Amino acid sequence: MTSKPEALPRVLCVDDEPHLLAALERTLFDQYELVTATSAGDALTVLKHEPPFAVVVSDMRMPGVNGADFLAEVRRQYPAVSRILLTGYADTESAIAAVNRGAIFRYLSKPCPREQLIEAIDAGVALHRRHEIERQLLSTTLAGVVKLLSELLAMAAPQAFQRASFLQACVRHALPKLGWSEPWRYEMAAALSQIGCIGIPEGEADPLSENAEHAETAWRLLSPIPRLESIALMLRYQTSVAPEDVGSEVMQGATLLRAALHLQTLAPHKIDAAEVLRRLRMAKPALPGSIVEALADFRGAWSEQRLERVDKLQLGSVLDQDVRTKTGMLVLSSGHELTQAAILALQRLLSTDAIEHTVRVRLRLG
């Protein structure tokens, strides 16, 4: 049986002159799966709705948004995509400036020989593959580390873990609407958001204080870990406004955490979705409208409370009550999202008749 041929790398070419795009198609059709667009706006639409691309090649001079600014936006939304800029002699300084600020991988002068263009695209494809391998490694290996740290937080600071579980649920609810790239980074930030509360007496940590001690502690704990630098910064600024020089990813991640913390303070109150929306809009410092809208209906993402047998608990359910032993010792607090480890711990306690046979939970919908 013959093996399935490897798919050609996907390349998006952008130029406002159709005859130049046709020339690129003739040059590259046998090397790559080629898609074309005649403007930056059309190209962004293609990137949003079509399968991922390895490389984007753009002309510098286009009406409206020029190639350098377009590729800077591609970098912001799709950081793993390699970006190549085609320039005329008069655009060289602008191209060099774009390289220096990290917006593009390479720039090539026109007219560009076929061999040189293919060499640059091949290098871009190789870079994209390295980014994808690194991303997969980060999202799987680091997920195990985060899970361990979360379990430690659950044991050492149950109330802080309850907040972190709530924030995780908020972030998971909002991300599909926000459409941000690499969503696992924001989920990881939410899971670790309260790690700095370990060592702070329960009840003394103010999760929304602008100078929250736990936010600074979380940053100090995580920033030395390779590849967690941006997540550490999200945690540092989760209760305040991040400075612009930290980058858009950190700013939007920290702001989403702050919005989720505001929502968490509203959770105990019996208020409807319209009131939740109104209060989020009144938050100070102000929250972006896109984040407010993404979180406004969060309360509807959970089922009504139900009584569940401990031996029938489902992964991902959220406790709607504190679980205590029959002697009164707190085991897990209300709001704890049940992991496999938590369910096994409860079932072990049940086997020794240390806890009641049923608990109140809520289930995630959808």
Side-chain angles (χ1 to χ4, degrees), residues 163-178:
R163 281 196 302 275
S165 297
F166 186 93
L167 265 61
Q168 277 187 278
C170 288
V171 168
R172 289 184 188 133
H173 179 79
L175 284 173
K177 301 178 183 181
L178 294 169

Side-chain angles (χ1 to χ4, degrees), residues 34-56:
L34 208 64
V35 178
T36 61
T38 55
S39 71
D42 289 346
L44 290 172
T45 300
V46 169
L47 285 163
K48 181 176 181 179
H49 295 292
E50 291 207 14
F53 289 87
V55 178
V56 174

Side-chain angles (χ1 to χ4, degrees), residues 148-268:
L148 173 62
L149 291 173
S150 296
E151 295 292 343
L152 291 173
L153 180 64
M155 292 185 289
Q159 289 183 16
F161 181 80
Q162 178 182 344
R163 281 196 302 275
S165 297
F166 186 93
L167 265 61
Q168 277 187 278
C170 288
V171 168
R172 289 184 188 133
H173 179 79
L175 284 173
K177 301 178 183 181
L178 294 169
W180 295 346
S181 61
E182 299 191 316
W184 64 269
R185 291 184 180 274
Y186 306 102
E187 293 185 23
M188 193 173 289
L192 294 173
S193 61
Q194 307 302 301
I195 198 71
C197 292
I198 293 179
I200 300 177
E202 292 278 304
E204 291 189 13
D206 182 355
L208 270 173
S209 170
E210 188 169 345
N211 299 309
E213 178 186 352
H214 76 89
E216 196 71 15
T217 301
W219 170 69
R220 287 199 303 268
L221 287 172
L222 297 180
S223 57
I225 301 176
R227 306 303 185 188
L228 283 187
E229 296 90 346
S230 63
I231 292 171
L233 284 170
M234 291 180 200
L235 305 193
R236 186 182 195 184
Y237 296 111
Q238 64 184 293
T239 62
S240 59
V241 178
E244 293 185 3
D245 61 2
V246 298
S248 59
E249 179 185 72
V250 170
M251 291 182 69
Q252 63 192 20
T255 305
L256 179 57
L257 291 180
R258 180 161 56 87
L261 282 168
H262 276 288
L263 193 57
Q264 192 264 339
T265 65
L266 301 176

Side-chain angles (χ1 to χ4, degrees), residues 2-308:
T2 58
S3 60
K4 185 178 179 179
E6 185 177 353
L8 293 175
R10 286 173 55 78
V11 176
L12 174 61
C13 293
V14 189
D15 198 305
D16 63 313
E17 299 187 39
H19 72 278
L20 292 179
L21 289 176
L24 284 172
E25 286 185 294
R26 289 193 300 272
T27 300
L28 304 174
F29 80 95
D30 58 340
Q31 301 282 326
Y32 315 103
E33 181 182 343
L34 208 64
V35 178
T36 61
T38 55
S39 71
D42 289 346
L44 290 172
T45 300
V46 169
L47 285 163
K48 181 176 181 179
H49 295 292
E50 291 207 14
F53 289 87
V55 178
V56 174
V57 180
S58 175
D59 186 35
M60 178 64 176
R61 292 199 173 186
M62 296 187 294
V65 179
N66 66 38
D69 290 340
F70 160 64
L71 292 179
E73 181 62 20
V74 172
R75 180 197 183 200
R76 188 186 73 81
Q77 295 190 36
Y78 310 96
V81 175
S82 299
R83 303 163 299 278
I84 296 174
L85 186 64
L86 297 176
T87 71
Y89 177 76
D91 302 316
T92 301
E93 288 188 8
S94 298
I96 292 173
V99 172
N100 288 338
R101 68 173 183 261
I104 64 173
F105 166 59
R106 286 200 186 164
Y107 81 89
L108 303 173
S109 297
K110 298 191 300 184
C112 180
R114 180 179 188 274
E115 295 75 15
Q116 185 180 4
L117 179 58
I118 289 175
E119 180 185 358
I121 295 176
D122 283 346
V125 169
L127 179 64
H128 176 264
R129 285 174 177 159
R130 289 197 297 273
H131 282 317
E132 285 299 294
I133 291 170
E134 182 182 65
R135 181 189 62 79
Q136 292 169 14
L137 179 64
L138 284 171
S139 61
T140 54
T141 304
L142 290 181
V145 175
V146 169
K147 183 178 179 181
L148 173 62
L149 291 173
S150 296
E151 295 292 343
L152 291 173
L153 180 64
M155 292 185 289
Q159 289 183 16
F161 181 80
Q162 178 182 344
R163 281 196 302 275
S165 297
F166 186 93
L167 265 61
Q168 277 187 278
C170 288
V171 168
R172 289 184 188 133
H173 179 79
L175 284 173
K177 301 178 183 181
L178 294 169
W180 295 346
S181 61
E182 299 191 316
W184 64 269
R185 291 184 180 274
Y186 306 102
E187 293 185 23
M188 193 173 289
L192 294 173
S193 61
Q194 307 302 301
I195 198 71
C197 292
I198 293 179
I200 300 177
E202 292 278 304
E204 291 189 13
D206 182 355
L208 270 173
S209 170
E210 188 169 345
N211 299 309
E213 178 186 352
H214 76 89
E216 196 71 15
T217 301
W219 170 69
R220 287 199 303 268
L221 287 172
L222 297 180
S223 57
I225 301 176
R227 306 303 185 188
L228 283 187
E229 296 90 346
S230 63
I231 292 171
L233 284 170
M234 291 180 200
L235 305 193
R236 186 182 195 184
Y237 296 111
Q238 64 184 293
T239 62
S240 59
V241 178
E244 293 185 3
D245 61 2
V246 298
S248 59
E249 179 185 72
V250 170
M251 291 182 69
Q252 63 192 20
T255 305
L256 179 57
L257 291 180
R258 180 161 56 87
L261 282 168
H262 276 288
L263 193 57
Q264 192 264 339
T265 65
L266 301 176
H269 306 290
K270 302 300 182 182
I271 55 179
D272 59 24
E275 180 63 12
V276 170
L277 183 61
R278 187 185 74 82
R279 295 197 188 186
L280 286 177
R281 285 173 174 165
M282 291 175 60
K284 300 295 182 183
L287 297 167
S290 59
I291 290 179
V292 170
E293 295 293 336
L295 287 174
D297 64 342
F298 171 70
R299 290 164 66 91
W302 300 94
S303 70
E304 293 300 315
Q305 64 176 235
R306 55 190 285 183
L307 204 60
E308 194 75 85

